[in-house]
Amino acid sequence: MRILLLNKFTSPDPAPTARLLAELGTGLQARGWEVFSRSAGGSYRQGTGSGGFKRWMREGWAHGRLFVAGCLAPRPDVIFCLSDPPGLVFTASLISRIRRIPLAHWVMDVYPQIAAALGEVSPKSPPYRWLDKAVQLGLRRCELIGCLDEDMADALQLKTDPRLHLCPPWPPSTITAASIVSQPIVSQSPSSFTWLYSGNLGRAHDVETLLQTQHQLEAAGLEADLVFQGRGPQIPWAKHRAAELGLRRCRWLDYAPDEQLVSSLLRADVLVATQKVETQGLLWPSKLAVLKHLNRPILWIGPTEGGIARMLQKNHPGAGLFAPGDCQGVTDWLRNQMSGGSVPAAVVSCPEWHGKLASIQTLAVDDWHQRLVQLVRSPRIIS
């Protein structure tokens, strides 16, 4: 069987979606599939640049490249697309209809709702209405739809839809024993406490609560370092805000190389993930795919009643769960962590842990494989 994978970025680009798609493709190849991947080019870590008309032009160009590539690719048995560029499911549905091939879609971000939630577009504007209509048309064409959690399925009104497949991101396959013993990125002195935000600092993530909490910790004379490891569109604003608050123990690092990512995470005392409440169900912070499997305290600042909070409550009883703006609650929780110490990194580097991560990916790819085989083999009226 043949499958065509469509996404704005594909391997070897370091985009989380490119990694997921590459690992899915590798897993399907191991199960007998012939896999073709097509991308729109560009680089995830170069960012999106300016917004407005130029942004729409770039995304339109990406759709055009993917449409042509999808039409010219060797004929597959099924088309599989993600969500980037926004509205990709519509473009993939056109290819699906033209080539009379079934379509599967794994939703990473819910467009255009997430753009409206972040104030980038008005729900009453023509671009929003056009994109929303296009996405709805694309979803109707899909015969299999993956969502990252129940909140996303609810946002798309798919919770009772037989096409729904719940599949959160799995940890990167680059996590190996070698990556744990490599030289760490975050150097930590014995007398300091480090809480770390690692990854892309996009507009959907709450930053103000982190900076205000660090301000309170420093005002109390506590030796705590807030470290941002990565890039993202909010980094310039966050640096400016940190300077306004007079923060002295706020550090800024570039992305950690893949082979050193886990080492850098394990050198921190607390690992941080954030999400603005208004984006609940519209995305899933990809960094949690790794953080939730490390033996480190997790600080979650985001919706406290959503699927992510429920997952952390169940699997990480000691996690700190706080709504954005609850700086005092976060400060008190961090002070408690500082007085209690942290878990030794050696606990995480056991062979059983690596086997667990590998089995998570294997099971997820198995699920996709079985559902895609069923999709290809199911009788249908081609239209």
Side-chain angles (χ1 to χ4, degrees):
M1 287 179 289
R2 294 178 159 193
I3 186 169
L4 173 62
L5 307 179
L6 299 176
N7 190 42
K8 186 174 185 178
F9 306 109
T10 55
S11 182
D13 191 275
T17 56
R19 173 190 62 81
L20 276 176
L21 208 57
E23 292 174 354
L24 175 62
T26 300
L28 292 176
Q29 283 180 322
R31 291 159 178 80
W33 289 77
E34 191 173 356
V35 178
F36 309 101
S37 295
R38 297 294 184 268
S39 73
S43 171
Y44 171 73
R45 289 184 176 175
Q46 286 180 354
T48 58
S50 59
F53 180 73
K54 290 184 179 180
R55 171 76 182 273
W56 286 101
M57 289 292 292
R58 283 194 302 272
E59 303 295 17
W61 177 250
H63 277 277
R65 291 189 64 176
L66 284 164
F67 176 76
V68 172
C71 288
L72 297 180
R75 182 174 181 81
D77 296 296
V78 61
I79 297 171
F80 188 99
C81 75
L82 299 189
S83 308
D84 199 14
L88 176 57
V89 66
F90 174 73
T91 298
S93 73
L94 294 180
I95 302 170
S96 167
R97 185 174 295 277
I98 291 170
R99 304 192 70 177
R100 298 189 174 187
I101 298 167
L103 174 63
H105 177 38
W106 193 5
V107 186
M108 296 286 131
D109 302 283
V110 180
Y111 291 111
Q113 288 84 347
I114 190 170
L118 297 175
E120 296 178 357
V121 63
S122 168
K124 297 181 179 180
S125 66
Y128 180 97
R129 296 199 302 269
W130 297 335
L131 183 55
D132 186 44
K133 182 65 174 179
V135 169
Q136 294 305 316
L137 290 172
L139 289 174
R140 289 177 200 167
R141 179 74 184 179
C142 296
E143 297 183 48
L144 177 62
I145 304 175
C147 289
L148 302 181
D149 63 5
E150 292 182 352
D151 288 346
M152 183 172 284
D154 190 41
L156 289 169
Q157 300 180 346
L158 293 171
K159 293 188 75 171
T160 60
D161 196 308
R163 300 174 298 168
L164 174 64
H165 173 45
L166 290 177
C167 182
W170 52 76
S173 60
T174 51
I175 295 180
T176 63
S179 71
I180 288 182
V181 299
S182 298
Q183 182 66 29
I185 295 295
V186 178
S187 58
Q188 175 186 355
S189 67
S191 62
S192 68
F193 176 93
T194 299
W195 55 309
L196 172 68
Y197 181 100
S198 180
N200 181 62
L201 192 62
R203 296 179 181 88
H205 300 287
D206 175 45
V207 188
E208 180 70 13
T209 304
L210 304 183
L211 298 175
Q212 289 286 358
T213 298
Q214 180 65 22
H215 181 64
Q216 292 189 16
L217 293 173
E218 293 188 14
L222 299 174
E223 294 189 347
D225 294 333
L226 171 59
V227 179
F228 290 91
Q229 178 175 273
R231 302 178 198 166
Q234 286 207 88
I235 287 290
W237 178 88
K239 288 182 176 180
H240 176 74
R241 183 67 176 135
E244 283 185 339
L245 293 170
L247 300 183
R248 303 180 306 278
R249 306 195 65 152
C250 193
R251 291 189 282 149
W252 313 89
L253 305 175
D254 202 350
Y255 285 108
D258 288 344
E259 69 275 9
Q260 297 184 18
L261 173 61
V262 175
S263 289
S264 69
L265 297 175
L266 293 177
R267 292 292 295 176
D269 295 285
V270 166
L271 303 173
V272 182
T274 74
Q275 182 180 355
K276 293 179 179 177
V277 173
E278 55 268 30
T279 67
Q280 179 177 344
L282 305 181
L283 55 77
W284 200 91
S286 59
K287 59 181 64 64
L288 279 172
V290 177
L291 302 191
K292 68 179 183 178
H293 296 294
L294 299 178
N295 197 357
R296 279 289 179 271
I298 295 176
L299 172 60
W300 168 248
I301 300 176
T304 56
E305 302 296 331
I308 292 175
R310 290 192 296 270
M311 177 271 293
L312 291 174
Q313 285 175 330
K314 178 181 178 181
N315 301 319
H316 298 269
L321 309 176
F322 300 94
D326 187 6
C327 302
Q328 189 58 56
V330 177
T331 299
D332 293 342
W333 185 84
L334 287 172
R335 295 185 72 151
N336 185 57
Q337 296 296 316
M338 294 175 71
S339 62
S342 55
V343 181
V347 175
V348 187
S349 60
C350 60
E352 292 82 5
W353 182 75
H354 299 293
K356 176 184 177 183
L357 295 186
S359 68
I360 291 170
Q361 180 175 328
T362 297
L363 290 173
V365 175
D366 273 341
D367 280 346
W368 276 117
H369 165 68
Q370 293 167 12
R371 290 175 180 270
L372 289 167
V373 168
Q374 183 180 12
L375 173 61
V376 171
R377 292 178 176 173
S378 62
R380 64 176 55 82
I381 299 175
I382 301 295
S383 61

